[in-house]
Amino acid sequence: MAKTKRLPPALPFADQVAIFSRLQAADPHPKTELAFSNPYTLVVAVALSAQSTDVGVNKATRALFAAADTPQKMLDLGLEAVTQNIRTIGLFRQKAKNVIALSRILVDDYGGEVPDSRAALIGLPGVGRKTANVVLNCAFGFPAQAVDTHIFRVGNRTRIAPGHDVDQVERAIEDNVPARFQQHAHHWLILHGRYICQARRPRCGICTLADLCPYEEKTE
């Protein structure tokens, strides 16, 4: 049985403060790039974003949310109309079924309101822990950490939050990132991973964190 590679230590507290101070100075109030108008449309948008880009989801939901921005309106719109509205994004048929199913649960079990409980959110079709954490953070202001592939990569490269899987990285952010930065930590990290610390060729030459980052395969 192969041994699990030992994780390197997380960056020391002083470096964590320095990194997040720079990220905060550059973007004091980061926000999700998904378009939404209320907690319900955020749940739907994040659920639709699995294996799809935010840009693609926003294009697909523009007309959808104009017609249905509550669970009951979505049910009234119906499965076929939802399917047609989101057919430009990946796995659109299953995602449309999930949107209708989660809308039904919200109407029947929660009075049409989105619950502010992680367990309740994860109980909705098409909603996993990452989606639930996005909703808790963006809609309800909880310092929840939604770890995706960008954050997993940045967390490990920089040693802000080392982990073998997304759950370990989530816990490492909670354990290592100073409390005053927790609210926006996942936004700063996802945007950094999306635009600077990219997977194939990180843009280290323009990275404001390069002098603090221990990543050995830096690019010019």
Side-chain angles (χ1 to χ4, degrees):
M1 183 176 179
K3 292 183 178 180
T4 301
K5 185 178 179 180
R6 185 175 181 179
L7 289 170
L11 288 181
F13 181 80
D15 288 348
Q16 298 271 4
V17 171
I19 282 176
F20 282 97
S21 294
R22 293 181 190 181
L23 294 173
Q24 183 180 55
D27 189 1
H29 303 289
K31 296 179 180 179
T32 178
E33 294 185 323
L34 287 170
F36 71 99
S37 60
N38 56 34
Y40 172 70
T41 54
L42 179 60
V43 170
V44 173
V46 183
L48 294 178
S49 70
Q51 300 182 45
S52 302
T53 66
D54 289 359
V55 172
V57 172
N58 289 342
K59 289 180 179 178
T61 58
R62 189 175 297 116
L64 178 65
F65 291 161
D69 61 355
T70 69
Q72 186 59 59
K73 289 179 181 178
M74 196 69 73
L75 293 175
D76 293 342
L77 195 61
L79 177 60
E80 184 58 34
V82 174
T83 303
Q84 290 301 313
N85 271 280
I86 67 170
R87 64 182 305 154
T88 56
I89 63 176
L91 307 174
F92 68 94
R93 295 188 188 280
Q94 183 57 51
K95 288 178 180 180
K97 292 177 182 178
N98 288 340
V99 169
I100 292 296
L102 71 84
S103 299
R104 172 55 63 192
I105 292 173
L106 290 175
V107 168
D108 290 349
D109 297 348
Y110 298 101
E113 300 294 326
V114 174
D116 61 355
S117 155
R118 181 183 287 116
L121 288 167
I122 291 176
L124 299 174
V127 176
R129 186 178 180 89
K130 184 187 77 173
T131 298
N133 283 350
V134 172
V135 175
L136 291 173
N137 184 284
C138 299
F140 299 111
F142 297 158
Q145 307 302 330
V147 178
D148 69 350
T149 55
H150 295 300
I151 297 176
F152 181 82
R153 179 174 66 254
V154 174
N156 277 289
R157 279 181 178 174
T158 62
R159 298 215 325 256
I160 288 170
H164 290 304
D165 54 43
V166 294
D167 291 335
Q168 285 188 331
V169 171
E170 180 183 333
R171 290 193 296 271
I173 293 173
E174 294 171 346
D175 290 344
N176 298 305
V177 175
R180 63 183 179 274
F181 301 117
Q182 288 278 335
Q183 180 62 41
H184 296 308
H186 94 270
H187 280 125
W188 284 318
L189 294 176
I190 192 172
L191 293 172
H192 191 70
R194 186 173 290 169
Y195 297 113
I196 303 297
C197 194
Q198 297 170 336
R200 293 187 178 181
R201 188 169 177 81
R203 305 174 70 190
C204 301
I206 63 169
C207 178
T208 60
L209 311 179
D211 60 313
L212 296 168
C213 175
Y215 183 55
E216 294 180 356
E217 300 176 38
K218 286 190 172 74
T219 59
E220 293 300 326

